[in-house]
């Protein structure tokens, strides 16, 4: 059944795992897993088993003479029979091993192992006899017997000299024998020899040394045994291990002449560079040979020979990881006595063309390229091994080695191994001992920062481990000069703090411990303490190091973690990572805090999600704890804004924005100015920064105040002499950006309350800003420099931004009535030019008066100081609003009549002609001349007679004059003339002339707006009768007529106090579909159901009834429960109407309503 196991490929080197590292005192330690010896179990061809299955006798022979049996006493005879039975059983199991399937073979080996524990001598004797009695057994059977023999020898406590010699001879004969099983057969025999070494290693080694020094390159199996012996930790005691390593060094010295033998050297290089059948694992023989080669080169005295061999080794393939590690080990061992030569060879190799190619190319084109792709990794490993083996001799070279290791690691596609990190730890400690300064510490750690920020977990883990080892070394030995300040220590704190959040638990632990040691260093440095080790000079330390003073490396750290007593003694080691970082922050200077914050900000741009998350937490903690003491935050805020777009993690984004909120508590002015600079154009990420800026109510008010201050700077841009913006231009850009932000922030919930409270200031500021933007667009002859400047600046876009901001202000703060007046008239277009701008402002102020706006008094108090402003545009906007507010009763609450006269009289002396004219118009207001009312009302009748003139222009002029008269009458109103004006205006609703229809509807709307509640009784019928014509004219072919019809219809609805006025406004302004028509028809009819006139209510009910007949579902979707009940009650009353036709219609409609209302709404 063995045939089920796959055959191995033909190879001169078997599988096996080992370590390529060599101990710090040049002793060889090559650990090999027991899987090396067991992996080949049962991997043999099946045909040999078939040949050998019937080649042995089936009877069990007891190899004892009959005479000896006859002389035995009964008790002894029983013992003999028991032993004979065990031997026969063992013999039978050895025989069955040949044909057993894998499962049965495993059972047999286990039985033999148990038997060997009780009677090892008997089992060994049986195995020996089996070999003697069956010399022709197959290689496969012998392979399994060797495995059993190895197991028995290992299980024996004592190995007699006879058996030692016998089995040594048997192993030596078979370990070089060529069979169809190739290496696994030889390894099985070799493992018997290794097992014998457990009992008598010196005898075996003597045999090996004899074979090794014959001058002929040794057989692979010999190297295999040497490799297993070198890597084994259990075969030797500590004393024997030292003796073995010393003997190995002596063998290497005796092998030096072989380097000059061409055949031996070529065979050596061929063996080293031939890949194993599993290239990811190093075979014991190859691992030993790399180390042995290094020891031979170490003993060679001729530098030229050493360089030639090392160059030849480096010119071989670097494709496999174990190959690269082996080369590095050879170079490191050679560097012990030939540091200059190894350095020169590595330097020359690093400058060669293949290496330069491998550093910059990542797409090999052929198999040859693969040999060099990872060559930089070999150099990196080699420098680490050189540092580890050369020890004190390397100190003058250590700066160069650190730099080169970092360089080659950056370009290498190789993973950092523990041995190299140990070498790096020793180098860092050696260097800090030579120059124990804070500057040197920064220099050393800066080489690790690239690895600490790596996206590969194992690279971060090993780099932070080295960092922690160095900090612990300094903390416990106190080499640093306390008189020198730390350099960029905030950067280190930031990096360690972020790595405390690393997904890798080992990295978390190392980072936390490193931060704790750093805290103690800072505290000791701050207090100016010195430790006992500070009394030693660096020179003495170096000498102590060369003599064996313990420097710490990765293995030491693993072996001696912090004890519970040490942890308890220092409270810092009992804190969690966030508390440790906060404790460290307390000890940092302002400059160091800035370094820490910048480190966190830079990490926000990382492509690693965990780095970004940790950076946001670090940034938030730093600003939360120390944001108030920061001096200059503008550059920080700008950098955060630029990196926010790359933060995709919602939690990290939230923490980053929260940091901005906290920073704004003490640095609002700087942040507003900074964010204005990056808000043209405004993107979603920058808008998030503004929202974070106003997340707290006190700050949001302050932000709006500052935006208004920037908005009111309003410098007129001038030509620039160079490409950089001058201060005026920067202010101009910030003013435009402030206008843009005031528009956008009105929809942000964080600023809702602040915008509401700042409404008067915003209202006036945005009106003035619109005028300012119109000034920028005044036509002129632009100079070439001015044209270039305008091309580089954001366009005001015909004041659309400031106007949009004004619209949003009205609609978001509850002043939609004022917004509706201008929207339905299409009057926003008046703000598009400097010439029509005054009319637009006047209409907006007039709308506030008509709608009895609650903000009139507050706005009035705000604009009075603007009348004394040095800026003409401020005075102009203020007087435009004031002249309209004169018609509001609320004006006298703020400005008594005499005071208003004084203000207007002062305006007559204003430098601006426009302000003087407006002031004069204000002085003629009816407020100051009450008797003017009767005079104006008396002129209305002659004007109405003029409506029937033949000239269209005359009629338009008269209608406009009547509208103006109604406006000037103000609160006094038209009195009894209102009805005449209404009738006259309505008579022209269906005039064939477009302009006349539009003017008549505008006049009717002005009359409705000017009508007080006391005058409504006479006009109510006229208003009701006008609704249907106005509704029909919404679809007038003339746009001007349709616009005036909308506005007049809306004004009538306001006068009649319709419900859902806001919905009505939206429908009139923007909706165009069937739902809009349904809504308007239903609103119109439902309003008439409340009429006091029986006639109107009847016809309204008939109208709704006919509408329901044609569009039942559409109408019922527009009605609520109250409306539906009203319809039922109305038709119920109409069933008693005197008119028979109405009674019949009401009865039928009531029945139909009950059926339709019962259907579910779709």
């Amino acid at each position: 059944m063995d045939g089920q196991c796959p055959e191995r490929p033909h190879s001169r080197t078997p599988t096996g795992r080992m370590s390529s590292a060599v101990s710090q005192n040049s002793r060889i330690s090559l650990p090999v897993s027991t899987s090396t010896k067991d992996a080949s179990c049962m991997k043999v061809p099946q045909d040999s088993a078939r040949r050998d299955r019937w080649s042995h006798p089936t009877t069990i022979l007891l190899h004892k003479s009959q005479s000896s049996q006859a002389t035995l006493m009964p008790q002894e005879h029983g013992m003999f029979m028991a032993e004979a039975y065990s031997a026969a059983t063992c013999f039978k199991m050895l025989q069955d091993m040949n044909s057993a399937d894998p499962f049965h073979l495993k059972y047999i080996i286990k039985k033999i192992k148990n038997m060997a524990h009780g009677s090892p001598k008997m089992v060994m004797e049986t195995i020996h006899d089996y070999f003697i009695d069956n010399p022709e057994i197959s290689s496969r059977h012998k392979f399994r017997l060797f495995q059993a023999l190895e197991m028995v020898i290992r299980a024996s406590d004592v190995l007699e000299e006879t058996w030692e010699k016998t089995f040594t001879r048997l192993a030596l004969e078979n370990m070089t024998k060529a069979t169809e099983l190739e290496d696994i057969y030889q390894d099985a025999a070799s493992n018997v020899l290794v097992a014998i070494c457990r009992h008598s290693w010196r005898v075996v080694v003597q045999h090996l040394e004899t074979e090794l020094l014959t001058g002929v390159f040794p057989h692979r199996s010999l190297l295999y045994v040497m490799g297993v012996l070198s890597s084994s930790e259990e075969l030797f005691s500590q004393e024997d291990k030292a003796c073995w390593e010393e003997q190995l060094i002596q063998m290497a010295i005796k092998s030096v002449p072989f380097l000059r033998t061409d055949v031996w050297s070529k065979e050596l290089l061929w063996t080293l560079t031939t890949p194993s059948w599993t290239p990811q694992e190093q075979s014991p023989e190859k691992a030993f040979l790399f180390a042995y080669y290094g020891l031979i080169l170490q003993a060679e005295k001729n530098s030229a020979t050493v360089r030639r061999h090392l160059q030849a080794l480096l010119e071989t393939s670097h494709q496999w990881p174990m190959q690269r590690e082996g080369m590095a080990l050879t170079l490191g061992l050679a560097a012990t006595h030939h540091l200059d030569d190894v350095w020169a060879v590595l330097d020359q190799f690093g400058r060669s063309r293949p290496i330069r190619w491998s550093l910059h190319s990542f797409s090999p084109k052929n198999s040859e390229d693969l040999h060099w792709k990872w060559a930089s990794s070999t150099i990196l490993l080699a420098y680490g091994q050189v540092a580890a083996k050369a020890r004190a001799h390397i100190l003058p070279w250590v700066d160069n080695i650190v730099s080169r290791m970092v360089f080659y690691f950056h370009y290498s596609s190789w993973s950092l191994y523990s041995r190299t990190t140990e070498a790096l730890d020793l180098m860092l400690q050696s260097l800090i001992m030579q120059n124990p300064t804070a500057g040197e510490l920064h220099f050393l750690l800066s080489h690790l920062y690239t690895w600490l920020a790596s996206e590969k977990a194992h690279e971060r883990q090993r780099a932070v481990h080295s960092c922690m080892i160095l900090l612990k070394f300094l903390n416990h030995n106190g080499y640093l000069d306390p008189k020198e300040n730390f350099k960029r220590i905030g950067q280190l704190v930031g990096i360690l703090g972020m790595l405390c959040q690393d997904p890798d638990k080992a990295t978390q632990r190392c980072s936390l411990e490193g931060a704790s040691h750093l805290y103690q260093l800072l505290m000791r440095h701050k207090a100016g303490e010195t430790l006992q080790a500070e009394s030693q000079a660096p020179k003495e330390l170096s000498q102590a190091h060369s003599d064996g003073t313990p420097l710490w490396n990765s293995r030491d750290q693993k072996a001696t973690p912090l004890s519970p007593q040490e942890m308890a003694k220092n409270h810092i080691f009992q804190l969690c990572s966030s508390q440790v970082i906060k404790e460290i922050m307390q000890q940092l200077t302002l400059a160091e805090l800035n370094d820490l914050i910048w480190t966190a900000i830079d990490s926000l741009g990382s492509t690693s999600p965990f780095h970004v998350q940790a950076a946001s937490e670090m940034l938030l903690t730093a600003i939360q704890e120390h944001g108030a003491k920061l001096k200059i935050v503008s550059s920080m805020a700008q950098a955060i804004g630029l990196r926010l777009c790359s933060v995709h993690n919602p939690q990290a984004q939230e923490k980053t924005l929260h940091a901005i909120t906290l920073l704004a508590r003490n640095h609002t002015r700087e942040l507003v100015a900074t964010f204005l600079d990056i808000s043209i154009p405004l993107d979603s990420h920058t808008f998030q920064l503004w929202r974070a800026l106003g997340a707290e109510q006190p700050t949001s008010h302050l932000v709006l105040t500052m935006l208004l201050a920037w908005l009111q700077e309003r410098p007129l841009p001038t030509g620039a002499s160079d490409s950089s913006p001058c201060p005026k231009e920067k202010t101009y850009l910030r003013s435009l950006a402030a206008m843009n932000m005031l528009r956008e922030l009105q929809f942000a919930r964080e600023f809702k309350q602040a915008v509401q409270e700042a409404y008067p200031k915003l209202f006036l500021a945005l009106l003035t800003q619109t005028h300012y933007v119109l000034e920028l667009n005044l036509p002129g002859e632009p100079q070439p420099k001015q044209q270039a400047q305008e091309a580089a600046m954001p366009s005001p876009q015909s004041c659309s931004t400031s106007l949009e901001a004004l619209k949003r202000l009205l609609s978001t703060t509850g002043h939609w009535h004022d917004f509706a007046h201008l929207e339905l008239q299409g009057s926003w277009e008046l703000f598009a030019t400097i010439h029509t701008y005054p009319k637009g402002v006047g209409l907006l102020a007039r709308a506030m008066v008509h709608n009895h706006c609650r903000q009139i008094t507050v706005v009035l108090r705000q604009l009075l100081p603007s009348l004394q402003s040095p800026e003409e545009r401020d005075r102009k906007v203020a007087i435009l609003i004031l002249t309209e507010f004169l018609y509001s009763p609320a004006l006298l609450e703020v400005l008594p009549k005499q005071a208003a006269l004084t203000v207007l009289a002062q305006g007559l002396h204003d430098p601006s002609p426009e302000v003087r004219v407006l002031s004069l118009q204000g002085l003629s207001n009816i407020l100051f001349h009450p008797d003017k009312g009767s005079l104006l009302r008396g002129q209305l009748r002659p004007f109405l007679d003029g409506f029937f003139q033949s000239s269209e222009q005359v009629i338009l002029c008269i209608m406009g004059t009547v509208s103006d008269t109604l406006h000037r009458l103000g609160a006094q109103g038209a009195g009894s003339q209102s009805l005449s004006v209404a009738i006259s205006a309505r008579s022209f609703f269906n005039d064939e002339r477009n302009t006349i229809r539009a003017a008549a509807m505008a006049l009717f709307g002005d009359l409705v707006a000017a009508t007080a509640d006391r005058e409504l009784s006479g006009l109510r019928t006229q208003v009701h009768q006008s609704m249907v014509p106005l509704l029909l004219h919404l679809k007038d072919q003339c746009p001007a007529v349709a616009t005036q019809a909308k506005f007049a219809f809306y004004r009538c609805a306001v006068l009649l106090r319709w419900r859902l006025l806001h919905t009505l406004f939206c429908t009139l302004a923007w909706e165009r579909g069937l739902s809009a028509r349904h809504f308007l028809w239903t609103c119109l009819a439902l309003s008439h159901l409340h009429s006091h006139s029986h006639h109107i209510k009847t016809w309204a009910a008939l109208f709704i009834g006919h509408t329901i007949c044609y569009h039942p579902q559409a109408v019922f979707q527009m009605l609520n429960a109250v409306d539906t009940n009203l319809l039922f009650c109305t038709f119920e009353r109409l069933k008693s109407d005197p008119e028979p036709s109405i009674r019949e219609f009401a009865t039928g409609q009531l029945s139909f309503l009950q059926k339709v209302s019962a259907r579910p709404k779709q």
Side-chain angles (χ1 to χ4, degrees), residues 422-660:
E422 292 169 14
L424 183 61
D425 294 341
L426 295 177
M427 281 192 297
L428 295 176
Q429 294 167 29
S430 300
L431 185 57
I432 201 65
M433 286 192 300
Q434 281 195 324
N435 186 19
T437 64
E440 187 70 10
L441 175 63
H442 170 68
F443 170 77
L444 293 177
L445 292 178
S446 63
H447 288 292
L448 295 175
Y449 288 162
T450 301
W451 297 347
L452 291 171
S454 171
E455 294 189 12
K456 298 180 179 178
H458 66 276
E459 292 176 1
R460 295 195 306 272
Q461 181 189 122
R462 290 159 179 167
V464 76
H465 190 270
S466 293
C467 180
M468 182 271 294
I469 289 292
L470 180 61
L471 291 173
K472 182 177 180 180
F473 175 75
L474 292 173
N475 183 29
H476 283 249
N477 294 282
Y479 291 121
L480 292 183
D481 184 358
K483 298 177 183 178
E484 184 182 1
N485 291 329
F486 283 105
K487 185 178 180 182
R488 300 293 305 275
I489 203 67
Q491 182 182 15
L492 178 60
V493 175
I495 292 174
L496 290 176
M498 288 185 287
L499 288 175
C500 286
Q501 309 299 322
D502 197 285
D504 180 71
K505 298 298 182 183
T507 303
Q508 285 185 22
R509 289 192 297 270
C510 282
S511 303
L512 179 56
E513 186 174 345
S516 302
H517 287 301
L518 179 59
Y519 170 79
Q520 291 189 324
L521 274 175
L522 289 171
M523 295 298 295
R524 196 170 288 124
H525 188 272
K526 190 174 182 180
E529 294 179 7
T530 56
L531 297 179
Q532 181 178 1
E534 289 177 342
S535 62
Q536 302 179 7
K539 182 177 179 181
E540 295 173 349
L541 289 171
S542 299
Q543 292 172 349
H545 168 48
S546 63
D547 294 337
T549 295
L551 294 180
W552 295 352
N553 57 36
S554 302
R555 289 181 294 173
D556 298 330
Q557 174 64 15
K558 293 173 185 175
T560 58
L562 284 173
S563 64
Q565 293 79 11
E566 187 177 1
M567 297 280 283
K569 185 170 61 176
N570 301 300
H571 82 284
I572 195 68
F573 291 101
Q574 301 174 349
L575 303 178
C576 66
S577 60
S578 60
Q579 292 175 316
V580 170
I581 298 303
K582 287 180 182 179
E583 291 285 341
I584 297 177
M585 286 182 185
Q586 296 293 338
Q587 311 305 321
L588 298 181
T589 64
L590 183 59
E592 291 166 348
L593 276 173
N594 284 334
D595 262 349
L596 184 150
I597 292 174
W598 273 109
T599 302
I601 292 174
D602 290 339
S603 296
L604 288 175
S606 172
T607 57
S608 169
F610 116 79
H611 266 122
V612 176
Q613 178 68 27
S616 66
E617 293 179 8
M618 177 64 65
L619 178 64
L620 179 59
T621 300
I623 292 179
Q624 204 166 25
E625 298 291 323
H626 306 282
K629 67 174 71 171
L630 299 176
K631 298 299 182 185
I632 302 176
V633 300
S634 56
S635 55
M636 291 180 181
Q638 187 172 18
I640 292 172
L642 293 175
R643 285 165 176 77
L644 190 63
C645 60
S646 61
V647 179
H648 304 296
N649 183 294
Q651 291 79 14
Q653 196 173 83
E654 181 182 352
K655 291 181 185 297
T656 304
L657 293 173
H658 189 201
I660 292 293

Side-chain angles (χ1 to χ4, degrees), residues 1093-1115:
S1093 169
H1094 177 75
H1095 178 73
I1096 293 295
K1097 285 198 295 186
T1098 300
W1099 284 102
L1102 294 175
F1103 167 76
I1104 293 176
H1106 285 292
T1107 304
I1108 292 175
C1109 290
Y1110 289 102
H1111 304 285
Q1113 292 298 329
V1115 172

